[in-house]
Amino acid sequence: MASMTVDVSPHAGRGSGPRWFWNALAHGYVWAWMAIFALPFLATLIYSLRTPDGVWTFSYYQYVFGSFRENLLLSFETTLITIVINLLIAIPAAYAIVRYPIPGKSFILSTLNLSLYTPAAVMGVSLVIAYAFLFRIPQTMIGLIGAYVVGTFPLMLVPIIVALRDLPMVFEEAARTLGATRMQTFWRVELPLLGPGISAGILLTFVIIFNEFLVTLFIAGPGLTTAALRVYNLARTAGFQPSTAALATTMQLVSFTVVLLFFHFFGSRYLKGTYLI
Amino acid sequence: MTRVQLVDISKRYGPTAAVEHFNADIADGEFVTLLGPSGCGKTTTLRMVAGLVDPSGGVIRFDGQPMNAVPSHKRNIGLAFQSHALFPHLTVARNVAFGLEVKGTPKAETERRVAEMLEMVELGDYANRMPAQLSGGQQQRVALARMLATDPRVLLFDEPLSALDRNLRDSLKYSILELQRRTRKTAIYVTHDQSEAFAISDRIFVMNEGRIEQAGSQLDIYLRPQTEFVANFVGDNNGIPGEVTGLVAPGGEGEPRLVDLVAGGIRMRGLDPGNVRPGDKVVAFVRPENIEVLANGHVADAPNIVRGRVDQIVFEGPTVRLTVDVDGTPLKVISGGLERLTLLDKEQREILLRLQDVTVVPDDPAVAA
Ligand SMILES: Nc1ncnc2c1ncn2[C@@H]1O[C@H](COP(=O)(O)OP(=O)(O)O)[C@@H](O)[C@H]1O
Ligand SMILES: [Mg+2]
């Protein structure tokens, strides 16, 4: 009878080595890569928890609750405002680009990502020049957010364009024939179905802006130090102190937590794309 | 309670005409079908009635009121799509409620109506499911409930069953007909499937290349095709080019008018299309099931009786399908009943045929080309 059993394991027929060995190898491989990616962060974390004499301590984290809290808040504030502005620009723009025949559409689409390909330093210099001489708004919050929007709205626009393109017209038409106005159709049908694209745009914008420091360095005035810029400044002035590492670790954790929360609340619903099967 | 009129409707996309000079007067409560091959303009016509496509010319009226300038959401219509088009992010109940909610119907009234509609399509227990959790047939039934919930004036169907398998199609088409009969709403149904059209329509509009070829009842379309296209498209047919030789004097009141003609070398007497004269080029059509195989002893010396050689025999169970060569013209013949069994050994033998119910249409050079 034993000869009748069929080995359905994925390793059937490999012919050598017990199954546990291959399993261990596969898992080990994955974990090794995870470790390599996590290593810099872990090193920073450990560095922030030890005095130069090798004593474990949380004391460096006291700086986090000082002025760094304000830096973090400013980061959140600018990121959120930028995301909202990006959304307000990107959703109507995507709608116009996808649903209406506009002249030069392919040119618009191909140049859309231009600002993403511009080196941050070049962008910073250009913006400083433009702000100082054209708009006369150097070193203000408006200027900073303007810079962020210019630099990142394609990150919001492109995923929404893709989502809207993939959204069959039939849902809009069904809504219209059922008596929905254009506005009702947009709010009740299109916006929820664009969820995956919008979520992707929000996430990308958040990750980029929250961690951005180079353009900020050029644009932001003395009163406008974001968390990322603060970490950079500290590394430059104070050197790689455990206190610097503590701020860096905190920033990393905050950024991480936001992304994880985002996935938790929207991930299963939107990012897996289960909506449109 | 809505009469739908399409007066000289056309739609052009650049140089191509999707629909041309479409005229239809659809009575209140009537179920009409637009039947035609893919690309003939059925969907475009339907979408113009729905307000999703603007006609290039012509007027659409509901109960006499012009609708051209009325946007889709104010026409109060129900449209069923080829794909069910249920909103994937809303439950079954919310889908059915959609049309009521956007019109601001009170919540209690909406809930009552949704329950009633789901009951009607026998999906009362599925209110809280998501569309993706239903089978194809259930999804299409929810779509029907959704389009009926708002009590529309006109029901429009764009091949709603074409994505389903055959058994489901057969049962659902009768459900659709029954719902339409019960609600007494005017319905326009688009399909390329003639059996579907024949099963459910009060009247069929056969379309080809953006135009109406013929409009009429199933019997009109099947027994009295007026164009070569209709004769070929609906059912199986033998089309034989020929020439009118004379008009037959009418037999009496209510008798059909007949013409004499010669087609494929065969002398025939067929139904007068009403617009031909002796010498006109025509095409004679005779359906395979209307060709009778005659027993020995008949003579081939009367109109519509011909001698031919059996080329091929296919036994299909209830019927036998023959291909008979008549002086170089191949004729398809379908024989049923017990006599079919006597034909099985006739391969390469001569048999005598009687062509019955011959219809005649004027030769249309455009179709022949
Ligand atoms: N939006 C459009 N743009 C250009 N041509 C179209 C459009 N919609 C339909 N057509 C053309 O019009 C003709 C009729 O199409 P349609 O009404 O969809 O046919 P059917 O529903 O009978 O298959 C086809 O030749 C099709 O290619
Ligand atoms: Mg179609």
Side-chain angles (χ1 to χ4, degrees):
Chain A
M1 284 305 285
S3 64
M4 296 282 290
T5 43
V6 178
D7 187 356
V8 293
S9 83
H11 312 296
R14 188 164 293 167
S16 69
R19 186 197 299 195
W20 66 261
F21 173 77
W22 293 109
N23 276 344
L25 194 68
H27 283 110
Y29 180 77
V30 172
W31 283 108
W33 277 109
M34 299 267 286
I36 287 169
F37 283 125
L39 212 54
F41 172 64
L42 290 176
T44 314
L45 176 66
I46 291 167
Y47 191 64
S48 72
L49 290 173
R50 276 152 65 102
T51 64
D53 314 326
V55 182
W56 294 94
T57 174
F58 270 114
S59 61
Y60 293 114
Y61 280 81
Q62 64 182 320
Y63 301 107
V64 171
F65 300 102
S67 60
F68 190 62
R69 228 184 48 189
E70 276 151 38
N71 304 141
L72 272 175
L73 281 179
L74 180 69
S75 283
F76 271 116
E77 196 183 341
T78 50
T79 308
L80 277 181
I81 294 175
T82 309
I83 286 175
V84 170
I85 294 177
N86 272 351
L87 278 172
L88 291 179
I89 297 176
I91 292 176
Y95 202 84
I97 288 172
V98 177
R99 291 287 193 248
Y100 291 93
I102 45 175
K105 191 188 276 197
S106 58
F107 178 75
I108 294 174
L109 286 176
S110 58
T111 53
L112 208 54
N113 289 329
L114 221 54
S115 66
L116 297 179
Y117 305 144
T118 310
V122 174
M123 171 94 91
V125 170
S126 319
L127 286 169
V128 168
I129 294 171
Y131 285 176
F133 298 104
L134 244 59
F135 302 124
R136 310 203 174 283
I137 47 165
Q139 306 194 340
T140 61
M141 179 95 158
I142 296 176
L144 187 60
I145 288 172
Y148 288 162
V149 168
V150 169
T152 61
F153 86 89
L155 290 176
M156 190 70 90
L157 185 55
V158 171
I160 297 178
I161 286 179
V162 171
L164 193 58
R165 260 199 197 156
D166 289 347
L167 184 66
M169 284 291 283
V170 75
F171 297 123
E172 287 158 66
E173 291 171 351
R176 300 279 287 152
T177 56
L178 287 166
T181 61
R182 265 190 203 290
M183 268 307 179
Q184 285 172 320
T185 304
F186 178 75
W187 286 109
R188 288 168 180 261
V189 177
E190 292 171 281
L191 198 61
L193 293 178
L194 289 179
I198 293 176
S199 311
I202 291 178
L203 203 57
L204 282 171
T205 314
F206 174 82
V207 170
I208 295 292
I209 297 183
F210 192 77
N211 302 317
E212 210 297 319
F213 79 94
L214 195 46
V215 170
T216 317
L217 183 65
F218 280 85
I219 296 293
L224 290 171
T225 310
T226 61
L229 187 58
R230 176 74 185 280
V231 172
Y232 171 75
N233 283 343
L234 264 182
R236 230 178 29 155
T237 53
F240 291 92
Q241 301 291 330
S243 53
T244 312
L247 298 197
T249 303
T250 307
M251 227 196 112
Q252 174 87 67
L253 286 176
V254 167
S255 181
F256 233 67
T257 310
V258 169
V259 173
L260 286 179
L261 283 177
F262 193 88
F263 272 103
H264 179 73
F265 286 113
F266 301 106
S268 60
R269 237 169 116 205
Y270 286 135
L271 294 174
K272 279 185 198 155
T274 48
Y275 263 14
L276 292 174
I277 39 171
Chain B
M1 322 303 107
T2 303
R3 170 183 177 194
V4 178
Q5 289 161 290
L6 289 86
V7 186
D8 206 33
I9 291 293
S10 297
K11 179 64 191 180
R12 280 178 294 278
Y13 290 107
T16 56
V19 177
E20 282 181 291
H21 306 297
F22 193 103
N23 283 285
D25 191 343
I26 302 163
D28 175 32
E30 194 180 10
F31 197 123
V32 304
T33 300
L34 311 186
L35 172 67
S38 172
C40 73
K42 308 179 295 290
T43 297
T44 305
T45 307
L46 197 74
R47 289 165 65 85
M48 287 193 278
V49 178
L52 296 172
V53 169
D54 284 330
S56 312
V59 185
I60 293 166
R61 293 177 196 278
F62 289 0
D63 283 336
Q65 302 163 278
M67 283 286 133
N68 294 45
V70 178
S72 204
H73 69 282
K74 291 201 180 130
R75 290 197 188 186
N76 196 10
I77 42 145
L79 175 56
F81 297 84
Q82 194 162 354
S83 67
H84 52 77
L86 294 176
F87 304 124
H89 60 300
L90 299 179
T91 62
V92 165
R94 293 286 315 284
N95 261 284
V96 177
F98 187 91
L100 300 161
E101 285 178 359
V102 295
K103 286 181 181 136
T105 314
K107 204 165 161 43
E109 161 77 9
T110 301
E111 275 172 20
R112 192 190 58 70
R113 183 82 180 151
V114 168
E116 182 190 343
M117 288 298 118
L118 285 177
E119 229 28 79
M120 188 172 70
V121 296
E122 293 165 15
L123 287 172
D125 297 337
Y126 293 77
N128 295 318
R129 298 262 191 111
M130 297 306 279
Q133 295 170 306
L134 304 181
S135 71
Q138 290 169 333
Q139 288 168 335
Q140 205 50 276
R141 271 149 62 201
V142 175
L144 290 177
R146 181 176 73 174
M147 78 187 261
L148 286 166
T150 51
D151 197 21
R153 304 172 77 174
V154 184
L155 304 178
L156 306 172
F157 301 90
D158 191 357
E159 313 215 16
L161 308 181
S162 59
L164 305 174
D165 62 48
R166 171 156 278 292
N167 288 339
L168 216 48
R169 275 210 301 269
D170 284 345
S171 69
L172 258 180
K173 73 184 174 201
Y174 293 112
S175 308
I176 288 177
L177 181 61
E178 198 213 309
L179 288 178
Q180 186 266 348
R181 290 288 185 246
R182 195 168 352 145
T183 55
R184 296 167 192 225
K185 289 179 189 298
T186 314
I188 307 177
Y189 190 100
V190 160
T191 182
H192 66 271
D193 179 336
Q194 49 179 297
S195 68
E196 222 167 278
F198 271 61
I200 57 182
S201 318
D202 293 322
R203 194 149 55 113
I204 296 173
F205 288 72
V206 182
M207 289 183 71
N208 180 37
E209 293 183 343
R211 293 169 178 275
I212 300 174
E213 288 275 337
Q214 186 172 350
S217 69
Q218 287 87 331
L219 284 181
D220 284 336
I221 300 287
Y222 195 76
L223 298 182
R224 292 175 287 278
Q226 283 163 5
T227 67
E228 211 173 327
F229 176 83
V230 175
N232 279 316
F233 182 74
V234 179
D236 205 355
N237 231 330
N238 293 294
I240 314 158
E243 195 178 305
V244 177
T245 53
L247 303 181
V248 181
E253 258 320 275
E255 290 280 302
R257 301 172 61 95
L258 302 174
V259 292
D260 280 325
L261 64 150
V262 174
I266 308 165
R267 275 199 301 131
M268 299 186 207
R269 186 160 278 195
L271 218 53
D272 184 359
N275 51 359
V276 292
R277 293 183 319 185
D280 282 359
K281 297 267 180 251
V282 291
V283 182
F285 282 96
V286 55
R287 296 202 181 272
E289 70 271 23
N290 290 346
I291 300 181
E292 187 188 359
V293 180
L294 297 175
N296 290 334
H298 278 82
V299 280
D301 197 25
N304 296 24
I305 296 188
V306 293
R307 190 177 292 282
R309 202 188 69 246
V310 179
D311 270 348
Q312 201 187 21
I313 302 175
V314 178
F315 179 66
E316 294 181 324
T319 55
V320 168
R321 194 174 273 272
L322 311 176
T323 311
V324 181
D325 183 282
V326 179
D327 282 343
T329 304
L331 289 183
K332 291 173 278 187
V333 178
I334 292 178
S335 179
L338 282 176
E339 71 186 37
R340 76 189 189 282
L341 301 175
T342 66
L343 299 173
L344 293 177
D345 59 354
K346 290 281 198 286
E347 187 142 1
Q348 299 307 328
R349 303 254 203 98
E350 298 249 308
I351 57 171
L352 214 52
L353 302 173
R354 179 190 283 146
L355 315 183
Q356 307 182 95
D357 289 335
V358 175
T359 49
V360 178
V361 302
D363 189 16
D364 180 355
V367 176

PDB file of all heavy atoms in Angstrom, chain B residues 11 13-14 16-19 36-45 47 158-159 190 207, ligand 1:
ATOM      1  N   LYS B  11     -26.448  58.009 -35.865  1.00  0.00           N
ATOM      2  CA  LYS B  11     -25.251  58.293 -35.080  1.00  0.00           C
ATOM      3  C   LYS B  11     -24.038  58.034 -35.952  1.00  0.00           C
ATOM      4  O   LYS B  11     -23.865  56.932 -36.474  1.00  0.00           O
ATOM      5  CB  LYS B  11     -25.188  57.392 -33.836  1.00  0.00           C
ATOM      6  CG  LYS B  11     -23.936  57.631 -32.999  1.00  0.00           C
ATOM      7  CD  LYS B  11     -23.911  59.032 -32.412  1.00  0.00           C
ATOM      8  CE  LYS B  11     -22.573  59.371 -31.801  1.00  0.00           C
ATOM      9  NZ  LYS B  11     -22.561  60.720 -31.230  1.00  0.00           N
ATOM     10  N   TYR B  13     -19.815  58.206 -36.123  1.00  0.00           N
ATOM     11  CA  TYR B  13     -18.515  58.391 -35.465  1.00  0.00           C
ATOM     12  C   TYR B  13     -17.528  58.716 -36.568  1.00  0.00           C
ATOM     13  O   TYR B  13     -17.103  57.824 -37.295  1.00  0.00           O
ATOM     14  CB  TYR B  13     -18.077  57.120 -34.735  1.00  0.00           C
ATOM     15  CG  TYR B  13     -18.897  56.814 -33.509  1.00  0.00           C
ATOM     16  CD1 TYR B  13     -19.819  55.778 -33.505  1.00  0.00           C
ATOM     17  CD2 TYR B  13     -18.736  57.567 -32.347  1.00  0.00           C
ATOM     18  CE1 TYR B  13     -20.564  55.491 -32.379  1.00  0.00           C
ATOM     19  CE2 TYR B  13     -19.476  57.293 -31.219  1.00  0.00           C
ATOM     20  CZ  TYR B  13     -20.388  56.259 -31.241  1.00  0.00           C
ATOM     21  OH  TYR B  13     -21.124  55.982 -30.127  1.00  0.00           O
ATOM     22  N   GLY B  14     -17.206  60.002 -36.701  1.00  0.00           N
ATOM     23  CA  GLY B  14     -16.342  60.392 -37.807  1.00  0.00           C
ATOM     24  C   GLY B  14     -16.987  59.970 -39.113  1.00  0.00           C
ATOM     25  O   GLY B  14     -18.164  60.262 -39.350  1.00  0.00           O
ATOM     26  N   THR B  16     -17.677  56.915 -40.119  1.00  0.00           N
ATOM     27  CA  THR B  16     -18.514  55.717 -40.077  1.00  0.00           C
ATOM     28  C   THR B  16     -19.857  56.025 -39.431  1.00  0.00           C
ATOM     29  O   THR B  16     -19.944  56.759 -38.448  1.00  0.00           O
ATOM     30  CB  THR B  16     -17.843  54.595 -39.260  1.00  0.00           C
ATOM     31  OG1 THR B  16     -17.558  55.100 -37.958  1.00  0.00           O
ATOM     32  CG2 THR B  16     -16.580  54.102 -39.908  1.00  0.00           C
ATOM     33  N   ALA B  17     -20.887  55.443 -40.018  1.00  0.00           N
ATOM     34  CA  ALA B  17     -22.227  55.600 -39.465  1.00  0.00           C
ATOM     35  C   ALA B  17     -22.556  54.360 -38.647  1.00  0.00           C
ATOM     36  O   ALA B  17     -22.629  53.262 -39.188  1.00  0.00           O
ATOM     37  CB  ALA B  17     -23.233  55.793 -40.588  1.00  0.00           C
ATOM     38  N   ALA B  18     -22.702  54.529 -37.337  1.00  0.00           N
ATOM     39  CA  ALA B  18     -23.050  53.390 -36.486  1.00  0.00           C
ATOM     40  C   ALA B  18     -24.529  53.055 -36.616  1.00  0.00           C
ATOM     41  O   ALA B  18     -24.917  51.897 -36.619  1.00  0.00           O
ATOM     42  CB  ALA B  18     -22.689  53.688 -35.039  1.00  0.00           C
ATOM     43  N   VAL B  19     -25.356  54.112 -36.747  1.00  0.00           N
ATOM     44  CA  VAL B  19     -26.803  53.935 -36.882  1.00  0.00           C
ATOM     45  C   VAL B  19     -27.290  54.948 -37.912  1.00  0.00           C
ATOM     46  O   VAL B  19     -26.852  56.103 -37.906  1.00  0.00           O
ATOM     47  CB  VAL B  19     -27.536  54.175 -35.542  1.00  0.00           C
ATOM     48  CG1 VAL B  19     -29.039  54.063 -35.730  1.00  0.00           C
ATOM     49  CG2 VAL B  19     -27.046  53.205 -34.481  1.00  0.00           C
ATOM     50  N   GLY B  36     -29.482  41.529 -34.500  1.00  0.00           N
ATOM     51  CA  GLY B  36     -28.571  41.723 -35.620  1.00  0.00           C
ATOM     52  C   GLY B  36     -27.186  41.265 -35.246  1.00  0.00           C
ATOM     53  O   GLY B  36     -26.897  41.037 -34.073  1.00  0.00           O
ATOM     54  N   PRO B  37     -26.320  41.144 -36.239  1.00  0.00           N
ATOM     55  CA  PRO B  37     -24.965  40.666 -35.966  1.00  0.00           C
ATOM     56  C   PRO B  37     -24.165  41.707 -35.185  1.00  0.00           C
ATOM     57  O   PRO B  37     -24.557  42.875 -35.117  1.00  0.00           O
ATOM     58  CB  PRO B  37     -24.368  40.456 -37.357  1.00  0.00           C
ATOM     59  CG  PRO B  37     -25.135  41.385 -38.233  1.00  0.00           C
ATOM     60  CD  PRO B  37     -26.520  41.458 -37.664  1.00  0.00           C
ATOM     61  N   SER B  38     -23.074  41.284 -34.636  1.00  0.00           N
ATOM     62  CA  SER B  38     -22.218  42.180 -33.869  1.00  0.00           C
ATOM     63  C   SER B  38     -21.771  43.353 -34.738  1.00  0.00           C
ATOM     64  O   SER B  38     -21.419  43.176 -35.899  1.00  0.00           O
ATOM     65  CB  SER B  38     -21.005  41.375 -33.377  1.00  0.00           C
ATOM     66  OG  SER B  38     -20.078  42.244 -32.800  1.00  0.00           O
ATOM     67  N   GLY B  39     -21.829  44.555 -34.169  1.00  0.00           N
ATOM     68  CA  GLY B  39     -21.371  45.742 -34.885  1.00  0.00           C
ATOM     69  C   GLY B  39     -22.428  46.389 -35.760  1.00  0.00           C
ATOM     70  O   GLY B  39     -22.138  47.326 -36.486  1.00  0.00           O
ATOM     71  N   CYS B  40     -23.679  45.928 -35.682  1.00  0.00           N
ATOM     72  CA  CYS B  40     -24.711  46.473 -36.575  1.00  0.00           C
ATOM     73  C   CYS B  40     -25.364  47.724 -35.993  1.00  0.00           C
ATOM     74  O   CYS B  40     -26.208  48.326 -36.638  1.00  0.00           O
ATOM     75  CB  CYS B  40     -25.769  45.417 -36.883  1.00  0.00           C
ATOM     76  SG  CYS B  40     -26.855  45.066 -35.502  1.00  0.00           S
ATOM     77  N   GLY B  41     -25.006  48.111 -34.772  1.00  0.00           N
ATOM     78  CA  GLY B  41     -25.537  49.358 -34.219  1.00  0.00           C
ATOM     79  C   GLY B  41     -26.602  49.185 -33.150  1.00  0.00           C
ATOM     80  O   GLY B  41     -27.233  50.158 -32.753  1.00  0.00           O
ATOM     81  N   LYS B  42     -26.779  47.981 -32.669  1.00  0.00           N
ATOM     82  CA  LYS B  42     -27.817  47.746 -31.656  1.00  0.00           C
ATOM     83  C   LYS B  42     -27.515  48.503 -30.366  1.00  0.00           C
ATOM     84  O   LYS B  42     -28.359  49.233 -29.830  1.00  0.00           O
ATOM     85  CB  LYS B  42     -27.900  46.237 -31.306  1.00  0.00           C
ATOM     86  CG  LYS B  42     -28.050  45.322 -32.487  1.00  0.00           C
ATOM     87  CD  LYS B  42     -28.097  43.860 -32.061  1.00  0.00           C
ATOM     88  CE  LYS B  42     -26.829  43.324 -31.423  1.00  0.00           C
ATOM     89  NZ  LYS B  42     -25.699  43.163 -32.338  1.00  0.00           N
ATOM     90  N   THR B  43     -26.284  48.317 -29.859  1.00  0.00           N
ATOM     91  CA  THR B  43     -25.913  48.960 -28.600  1.00  0.00           C
ATOM     92  C   THR B  43     -25.991  50.477 -28.726  1.00  0.00           C
ATOM     93  O   THR B  43     -26.514  51.154 -27.838  1.00  0.00           O
ATOM     94  CB  THR B  43     -24.495  48.532 -28.194  1.00  0.00           C
ATOM     95  OG1 THR B  43     -24.510  47.128 -27.959  1.00  0.00           O
ATOM     96  CG2 THR B  43     -24.043  49.243 -26.941  1.00  0.00           C
ATOM     97  N   THR B  44     -25.488  50.995 -29.835  1.00  0.00           N
ATOM     98  CA  THR B  44     -25.508  52.441 -30.035  1.00  0.00           C
ATOM     99  C   THR B  44     -26.947  52.963 -29.990  1.00  0.00           C
ATOM    100  O   THR B  44     -27.228  53.975 -29.344  1.00  0.00           O
ATOM    101  CB  THR B  44     -24.845  52.790 -31.380  1.00  0.00           C
ATOM    102  OG1 THR B  44     -23.535  52.221 -31.399  1.00  0.00           O
ATOM    103  CG2 THR B  44     -24.748  54.279 -31.575  1.00  0.00           C
ATOM    104  N   THR B  45     -27.856  52.259 -30.656  1.00  0.00           N
ATOM    105  CA  THR B  45     -29.261  52.675 -30.640  1.00  0.00           C
ATOM    106  C   THR B  45     -29.807  52.688 -29.210  1.00  0.00           C
ATOM    107  O   THR B  45     -30.420  53.660 -28.763  1.00  0.00           O
ATOM    108  CB  THR B  45     -30.101  51.705 -31.500  1.00  0.00           C
ATOM    109  OG1 THR B  45     -29.512  51.615 -32.794  1.00  0.00           O
ATOM    110  CG2 THR B  45     -31.531  52.188 -31.618  1.00  0.00           C
ATOM    111  N   ARG B  47     -28.175  52.877 -26.422  1.00  0.00           N
ATOM    112  CA  ARG B  47     -27.527  53.884 -25.581  1.00  0.00           C
ATOM    113  C   ARG B  47     -28.022  55.286 -25.911  1.00  0.00           C
ATOM    114  O   ARG B  47     -27.986  56.172 -25.065  1.00  0.00           O
ATOM    115  CB  ARG B  47     -26.013  53.792 -25.724  1.00  0.00           C
ATOM    116  CG  ARG B  47     -25.453  52.524 -25.061  1.00  0.00           C
ATOM    117  CD  ARG B  47     -24.046  52.229 -25.496  1.00  0.00           C
ATOM    118  NE  ARG B  47     -23.123  53.248 -25.054  1.00  0.00           N
ATOM    119  CZ  ARG B  47     -22.551  53.248 -23.849  1.00  0.00           C
ATOM    120  NH1 ARG B  47     -22.808  52.281 -23.009  1.00  0.00           N
ATOM    121  NH2 ARG B  47     -21.734  54.200 -23.502  1.00  0.00           N
ATOM    122  N   ASP B 158     -29.084  45.375 -22.792  1.00  0.00           N
ATOM    123  CA  ASP B 158     -28.029  45.215 -23.795  1.00  0.00           C
ATOM    124  C   ASP B 158     -27.379  43.843 -23.635  1.00  0.00           C
ATOM    125  O   ASP B 158     -26.436  43.686 -22.865  1.00  0.00           O
ATOM    126  CB  ASP B 158     -26.987  46.325 -23.664  1.00  0.00           C
ATOM    127  CG  ASP B 158     -26.036  46.333 -24.854  1.00  0.00           C
ATOM    128  OD1 ASP B 158     -26.167  45.456 -25.725  1.00  0.00           O
ATOM    129  OD2 ASP B 158     -25.167  47.221 -24.906  1.00  0.00           O
ATOM    130  N   GLU B 159     -27.872  42.874 -24.335  1.00  0.00           N
ATOM    131  CA  GLU B 159     -27.375  41.499 -24.271  1.00  0.00           C
ATOM    132  C   GLU B 159     -27.103  41.069 -22.833  1.00  0.00           C
ATOM    133  O   GLU B 159     -25.993  40.639 -22.509  1.00  0.00           O
ATOM    134  CB  GLU B 159     -26.092  41.352 -25.104  1.00  0.00           C
ATOM    135  CG  GLU B 159     -26.245  41.992 -26.472  1.00  0.00           C
ATOM    136  CD  GLU B 159     -25.503  41.252 -27.577  1.00  0.00           C
ATOM    137  OE1 GLU B 159     -25.125  40.102 -27.353  1.00  0.00           O
ATOM    138  OE2 GLU B 159     -25.336  41.833 -28.652  1.00  0.00           O
ATOM    139  N   VAL B 190     -31.738  44.127 -26.644  1.00  0.00           N
ATOM    140  CA  VAL B 190     -30.749  43.987 -27.711  1.00  0.00           C
ATOM    141  C   VAL B 190     -30.110  42.609 -27.638  1.00  0.00           C
ATOM    142  O   VAL B 190     -29.705  42.173 -26.558  1.00  0.00           O
ATOM    143  CB  VAL B 190     -29.661  45.074 -27.565  1.00  0.00           C
ATOM    144  CG1 VAL B 190     -28.396  44.682 -28.309  1.00  0.00           C
ATOM    145  CG2 VAL B 190     -30.168  46.406 -28.064  1.00  0.00           C
ATOM    146  N   MET B 207     -31.596  44.289 -37.574  1.00  0.00           N
ATOM    147  CA  MET B 207     -30.702  45.378 -37.984  1.00  0.00           C
ATOM    148  C   MET B 207     -29.487  44.836 -38.721  1.00  0.00           C
ATOM    149  O   MET B 207     -29.029  43.739 -38.456  1.00  0.00           O
ATOM    150  CB  MET B 207     -30.216  46.163 -36.759  1.00  0.00           C
ATOM    151  CG  MET B 207     -31.280  47.001 -36.100  1.00  0.00           C
ATOM    152  SD  MET B 207     -30.576  47.944 -34.722  1.00  0.00           S
ATOM    153  CE  MET B 207     -29.573  49.145 -35.597  1.00  0.00           C
TER     154      MET B 207
HETATM  155  N1  LIG C   1     -17.520  55.186 -29.306  1.00  0.00           N
HETATM  156  C1  LIG C   1     -17.382  54.748 -30.568  1.00  0.00           C
HETATM  157  N2  LIG C   1     -16.468  55.289 -31.378  1.00  0.00           N
HETATM  158  C2  LIG C   1     -16.327  54.870 -32.649  1.00  0.00           C
HETATM  159  N3  LIG C   1     -17.063  53.910 -33.205  1.00  0.00           N
HETATM  160  C3  LIG C   1     -17.994  53.312 -32.461  1.00  0.00           C
HETATM  161  C4  LIG C   1     -18.204  53.693 -31.101  1.00  0.00           C
HETATM  162  N4  LIG C   1     -19.202  52.932 -30.593  1.00  0.00           N
HETATM  163  C5  LIG C   1     -19.577  52.110 -31.588  1.00  0.00           C
HETATM  164  N5  LIG C   1     -18.864  52.335 -32.710  1.00  0.00           N
HETATM  165  C6  LIG C   1     -19.022  51.639 -33.994  1.00  0.00           C
HETATM  166  O1  LIG C   1     -20.365  51.658 -34.341  1.00  0.00           O
HETATM  167  C7  LIG C   1     -20.768  50.422 -34.885  1.00  0.00           C
HETATM  168  C8  LIG C   1     -21.938  49.854 -34.100  1.00  0.00           C
HETATM  169  O2  LIG C   1     -21.507  49.484 -32.829  1.00  0.00           O
HETATM  170  P1  LIG C   1     -22.477  48.865 -31.729  1.00  0.00           P
HETATM  171  O3  LIG C   1     -23.672  49.742 -31.613  1.00  0.00           O
HETATM  172  O4  LIG C   1     -21.688  48.640 -30.508  1.00  0.00           O
HETATM  173  O5  LIG C   1     -22.879  47.481 -32.404  1.00  0.00           O
HETATM  174  P2  LIG C   1     -23.589  46.211 -31.755  1.00  0.00           P
HETATM  175  O6  LIG C   1     -24.050  46.548 -30.379  1.00  0.00           O
HETATM  176  O7  LIG C   1     -24.709  45.900 -32.681  1.00  0.00           O
HETATM  177  O8  LIG C   1     -22.576  45.125 -31.760  1.00  0.00           O
HETATM  178  C9  LIG C   1     -19.555  49.537 -34.873  1.00  0.00           C
HETATM  179  O9  LIG C   1     -18.979  49.554 -36.147  1.00  0.00           O
HETATM  180  C10 LIG C   1     -18.656  50.176 -33.879  1.00  0.00           C
HETATM  181  O10 LIG C   1     -17.317  49.956 -34.209  1.00  0.00           O
END
